[in-house]
Coordinates of all heavy atoms in Angstrom, one line a residue:
Q25 N 38.9 4.1 -29.8 CA 37.5 4.3 -29.5 C 36.8 4.7 -30.8 O 35.9 5.6 -30.8 CB 37.3 5.4 -28.4 CG 38.1 6.7 -28.5 CD 38.0 7.6 -27.4 OE1 38.8 8.4 -27.3 NE2 36.9 7.6 -26.5
Y39 N 45.5 17.2 -18.3 CA 44.9 16.0 -18.7 C 44.0 16.4 -19.9 O 43.7 17.7 -20.2 CB 43.9 15.4 -17.7 CG 44.7 15.1 -16.4 CD1 44.6 15.9 -15.3 CD2 45.6 14.0 -16.3 CE1 45.3 15.7 -14.1 CE2 46.3 13.7 -15.1 CZ 46.1 14.6 -14.0 OH 46.8 14.3 -13.0
H66 N 27.1 6.3 -22.5 CA 26.3 6.9 -23.6 C 25.7 5.7 -24.5 O 26.3 4.7 -24.6 CB 27.1 7.8 -24.5 CG 27.2 9.2 -23.9 ND1 26.0 10.1 -24.0 CD2 28.1 9.9 -23.3 CE1 26.4 11.3 -23.6 NE2 27.6 11.2 -23.1
Y68 N 25.1 6.2 -27.8 CA 25.5 6.5 -29.2 C 26.9 7.2 -29.1 O 27.4 7.4 -28.0 CB 24.4 7.2 -30.0 CG 24.5 7.0 -31.4 CD1 24.1 5.7 -31.9 CD2 24.7 8.0 -32.4 CE1 24.2 5.5 -33.3 CE2 24.8 7.8 -33.7 CZ 24.5 6.5 -34.1 OH 24.4 6.3 -35.5
G86 N 26.0 13.7 -26.7 CA 26.2 12.9 -27.9 C 25.0 12.5 -28.7 O 23.9 13.3 -28.6
A109 N 15.6 17.0 -28.3 CA 15.0 16.1 -29.3 C 15.9 15.7 -30.4 O 15.5 15.0 -31.4 CB 13.9 17.1 -30.0
N118 N 29.0 25.8 -16.2 CA 29.3 27.1 -15.7 C 30.4 27.2 -14.8 O 31.1 26.2 -14.6 CB 28.0 27.7 -15.0 CG 27.8 26.9 -13.6 OD1 28.3 25.8 -13.4 ND2 27.0 27.5 -12.8
T122 N 28.0 24.0 -11.2 CA 26.7 23.7 -10.7 C 25.6 23.5 -11.8 O 24.6 22.9 -11.6 CB 26.2 24.7 -9.7 OG1 26.3 26.0 -10.4 CG2 27.2 24.9 -8.5
I124 N 25.1 22.6 -16.1 CA 25.7 22.1 -17.4 C 24.7 22.8 -18.5 O 23.5 22.8 -18.4 CB 25.5 20.7 -17.6 CG1 26.4 19.9 -16.5 CG2 26.0 20.3 -19.0 CD1 26.2 18.4 -16.5
S158 N 27.8 25.3 -31.2 CA 28.8 25.5 -30.3 C 28.2 26.5 -29.2 O 27.5 27.5 -29.5 CB 29.9 26.3 -31.1 OG 31.1 26.5 -30.3
E165 N 27.8 35.4 -18.9 CA 27.3 35.3 -20.2 C 27.4 33.9 -20.9 O 28.4 33.1 -20.6 CB 27.9 36.4 -21.2 CG 29.4 36.3 -21.2 CD 30.0 37.7 -21.6 OE1 29.3 38.6 -22.0 OE2 31.2 37.8 -21.4
G169 N 26.7 29.7 -31.0 CA 26.8 29.7 -32.5 C 25.9 28.7 -33.1 O 25.7 27.6 -32.6
S170 N 25.1 29.1 -34.1 CA 24.1 28.2 -34.6 C 24.2 28.1 -36.1 O 24.8 29.0 -36.9 CB 22.7 28.9 -34.4 OG 21.7 28.3 -35.1
V171 N 23.7 27.0 -36.7 CA 23.7 26.8 -38.1 C 22.8 27.9 -38.8 O 23.0 28.0 -40.1 CB 23.0 25.4 -38.4 CG1 23.1 24.9 -39.9 CG2 24.0 24.3 -37.7
R177 N 24.7 36.2 -27.9 CA 25.4 36.3 -26.6 C 24.3 36.7 -25.6 O 23.6 37.7 -25.7 CB 26.4 37.4 -26.6 CG 27.2 37.6 -25.3 CD 28.4 38.4 -25.5 NE 28.1 39.6 -26.1 CZ 27.8 40.8 -25.3 NH1 27.8 40.7 -24.0 NH2 27.7 41.9 -25.8
F186 N 22.1 39.6 -27.3 CA 22.8 40.3 -28.3 C 23.0 39.3 -29.5 O 23.4 38.2 -29.2 CB 24.1 41.0 -28.0 CG 24.0 41.8 -26.8 CD1 24.0 41.5 -25.5 CD2 23.7 43.2 -27.1 CE1 24.0 42.3 -24.5 CE2 23.5 44.1 -26.0 CZ 23.7 43.7 -24.7
R201 N 40.8 35.1 -24.8 CA 41.2 34.9 -23.3 C 41.0 36.1 -22.5 O 40.8 36.0 -21.4 CB 42.7 34.4 -23.3 CG 43.0 33.3 -24.2 CD 43.3 32.0 -23.6 NE 43.5 30.9 -24.6 CZ 43.4 29.7 -24.3 NH1 43.3 29.2 -23.0 NH2 43.5 28.8 -25.2
L207 N 35.5 34.8 -31.4 CA 36.1 34.1 -32.7 C 35.0 33.3 -33.2 O 34.5 32.4 -32.5 CB 37.3 33.5 -32.4 CG 38.1 32.8 -33.6 CD1 38.5 33.8 -34.6 CD2 39.1 32.0 -33.1
D221 N 31.3 43.4 -27.7 CA 30.3 44.4 -27.3 C 29.6 45.0 -28.4 O 28.3 45.3 -28.4 CB 30.8 45.5 -26.3 CG 31.3 44.9 -25.0 OD1 30.6 44.0 -24.4 OD2 32.4 45.3 -24.4
G223 N 29.9 44.1 -31.8 CA 29.8 43.2 -33.0 C 30.6 43.6 -34.2 O 30.5 43.0 -35.3
R246 N 48.1 33.1 -25.5 CA 48.3 34.6 -25.2 C 47.4 35.4 -26.1 O 47.8 36.6 -26.2 CB 49.8 34.9 -25.2 CG 50.4 34.2 -23.9 CD 52.0 34.4 -23.9 NE 52.6 35.2 -24.9 CZ 53.9 35.2 -25.1 NH1 54.6 34.1 -24.6 NH2 54.6 35.9 -25.9
F261 N 47.4 28.6 -38.5 CA 47.7 29.6 -37.4 C 47.8 31.0 -38.1 O 48.6 31.1 -39.1 CB 49.0 29.4 -36.7 CG 49.1 28.1 -35.9 CD1 49.3 26.8 -36.5 CD2 48.9 28.2 -34.5 CE1 49.4 25.7 -35.6 CE2 49.0 27.0 -33.6 CZ 49.2 25.8 -34.3
A270 N 50.4 32.5 -40.3 CA 51.8 32.2 -39.8 C 52.2 30.9 -40.0 O 53.5 30.6 -40.0 CB 51.7 32.6 -38.3
S282 N 39.1 17.9 -34.7 CA 39.0 18.7 -33.5 C 40.4 19.1 -33.0 O 41.5 18.6 -33.4 CB 38.4 17.8 -32.4 OG 38.2 18.5 -31.1

Side-chain angles (χ1 to χ4, degrees):
Q25 54 182 156
Y39 305 103
H66 272 287
Y68 207 67
N118 68 339
T122 53
I124 300 169
S158 186
E165 54 202 347
S170 169
V171 180
R177 181 168 59 90
F186 302 92
R201 310 252 171 193
L207 181 67
D221 292 322
R246 289 177 5 204
F261 295 79
S282 180

